[in-house]
Amino acid sequence: MSYYNYKPEKNIVADYVVKTVADVLFAVSFALLICIFFCNTTTVSGTSMYPTLKNDNTCLIDVLSYDISSPNRYDVIAFKSDDALGYTFKRVYGLPGETVKIEGNTIYITTVSGEIIEASTEYFNDYEGDITAGLAASGVTLSEDEYFVLGDNLSLSEDSRFSSVGNVNIDDIYGKAWMIISPFSDLAIVK
């Protein structure tokens, strides 16, 4: 009597489909866990950050990164302001200890080391002519826990140039705008 060990044929297509479905489910579950524990959502109100953020865009906010590090120049942040019901979105230009001065259509930043740099205007929404300097006409020196922020849509932005917003304290920063998730047609990483 001979021993017979039957081995079924491998179904390569079924194995591939099951593995792919399992990989997708794992990736989606992992992404959801990251979003639940390290991100939050908030809706943009207004057009001060147009074209980067539009009115009624829903953004994922990275609430963990600024617990580990500080905001960088040109980050888009969400912060609590005195006159806003929710969170306000603006782009960081001046960092703690720096001096920001606006002359004509140029933003000058004097760094802590004394170097004077011209801030990038690439994010501005087709702004032509002189920038309304407001408080930055004579220069604004930031304390060690303050940031100078501007909206990308300069002509319609209430930002650090005006006393209604002023400099943003680190304690008021909620997080970094990370990704636009709604409406789906605007889905993008915030740059």
Side-chain angles (χ1 to χ4, degrees):
M1 184 175 209
S2 69
Y3 179 77
Y4 179 75
N5 187 4
Y6 173 74
K7 271 187 156 179
E9 282 186 34
K10 266 189 146 182
N11 187 336
I12 296 171
V13 173
D15 287 348
Y16 176 77
V17 168
V18 169
K19 184 178 183 318
T20 302
V21 168
D23 289 346
V24 168
L25 286 174
F26 176 77
V28 168
S29 300
F30 184 72
L32 283 173
L33 285 174
I34 296 240
C35 288
I36 289 169
F37 290 109
F38 303 115
C39 294
N40 208 334
T41 61
T42 191
T43 302
V44 176
S45 178
T47 58
S48 71
M49 284 300 293
Y50 182 83
T52 305
L53 301 174
K54 299 174 187 164
N55 188 43
D56 290 332
N57 278 158
T58 301
C59 286
L60 273 179
I61 306 299
D62 175 357
V63 296
L64 180 66
S65 65
Y66 294 150
D67 290 337
I68 298 168
S69 66
S70 299
N72 295 311
R73 194 177 324 278
Y74 308 125
D75 281 357
V76 175
I77 61 169
F79 63 94
K80 188 76 172 159
S81 66
D82 294 336
D83 64 339
L85 299 174
Y87 290 98
T88 302
F89 292 87
K90 301 291 182 213
R91 191 176 299 279
V92 173
Y93 278 82
L95 303 175
E98 295 182 335
T99 300
V100 179
K101 186 174 184 177
I102 299 175
E103 290 180 351
N105 63 356
T106 307
I107 303 166
Y108 296 101
I109 299 170
T110 305
T111 65
V112 177
S113 65
E115 177 186 6
I116 298 174
I117 59 173
E118 284 186 30
S120 173
T121 56
E122 72 176 281
Y123 302 105
F124 297 150
N125 178 32
D126 297 329
Y127 195 80
E128 294 180 11
D130 291 348
I131 299 170
T132 303
L135 299 172
S138 58
V140 174
T141 301
L142 303 164
S143 70
E144 292 305 311
D145 59 354
E146 291 180 329
Y147 293 84
F148 188 92
V149 297
L150 295 171
D152 288 356
N153 194 358
L154 282 177
S155 58
L156 296 175
S157 179
E158 284 280 322
D159 45 42
S160 291
R161 297 173 294 164
F162 306 103
S163 59
S164 59
V165 176
N167 300 331
V168 177
N169 190 291
I170 187 69
D171 295 333
D172 294 330
I173 297 176
Y174 181 59
K176 180 179 180 178
W178 179 52
M179 182 178 202
I180 301 167
I181 59 170
S182 172
F184 191 72
S185 60
D186 291 341
L187 184 70
I189 299 293
V190 176
K191 294 180 183 177

